[in-house]
Amino acid sequence: MISYAALTGAIVCEVIGTTFLQRSEQFSRLVPTLIMAAFYAGSFFLLSQALKSIPLGIAYAIWGGLGIVLTAIISVVVLKQSLDMPAIAGIAMIVGGVVVVNMFSQSVSH
């Protein structure tokens, strides 16, 4: 369970880092750029901790998939950007893939 807590923390840090990447305005604003770098570093550290007991492919699929979904939600709610139906359908397929991996793959360690 500690590995999944680390993976959750890695996802949260990655999403916050990505939000600050947008706020950094192509690295032209120092404070958002530094915050982004700190959260990305934290994300990779926590991801490395999760890899102690979660296989790389599974951890990366969960990290990437949930990161995409949460980042898309933040882009709509916080950054006031919009998603069209193809974008929503694609994100739904990513969620479906993560669910299939977690529910049916023998590679997942619970």
Side-chain angles (χ1 to χ4, degrees):
M1 275 304 167
I2 292 174
S3 292
Y4 280 95
L7 182 57
T8 300
I11 293 166
V12 170
C13 285
E14 187 266 333
V15 170
I16 293 169
T18 301
T19 302
F20 277 96
L21 177 62
Q22 173 75 30
R23 298 285 191 204
S24 77
E25 297 177 12
Q26 295 75 44
F27 304 125
S28 65
R29 297 180 59 217
L30 180 61
V31 172
T33 299
L34 294 174
I35 294 170
M36 175 217 60
F39 275 100
Y40 277 166
S43 178
F44 283 112
F45 172 77
L46 290 169
L47 181 59
S48 74
Q49 298 307 301
L51 294 177
K52 289 180 179 178
S53 66
I54 303 172
L56 175 63
I58 301 303
Y60 195 76
I62 296 168
W63 182 73
L66 293 180
I68 289 168
V69 170
L70 293 173
T71 300
I73 291 168
I74 287 178
S75 74
V76 170
V77 174
V78 175
L79 303 175
K80 306 298 184 209
Q81 298 172 349
S82 62
L83 298 173
D84 59 11
M85 285 310 292
I88 293 168
I91 291 168
M93 285 188 252
I94 292 167
V95 170
V98 170
V99 169
V100 167
V101 166
N102 279 289
M103 297 294 289
F104 301 108
S105 174
Q106 298 301 319
S107 300
V108 177
S109 57
H110 292 283

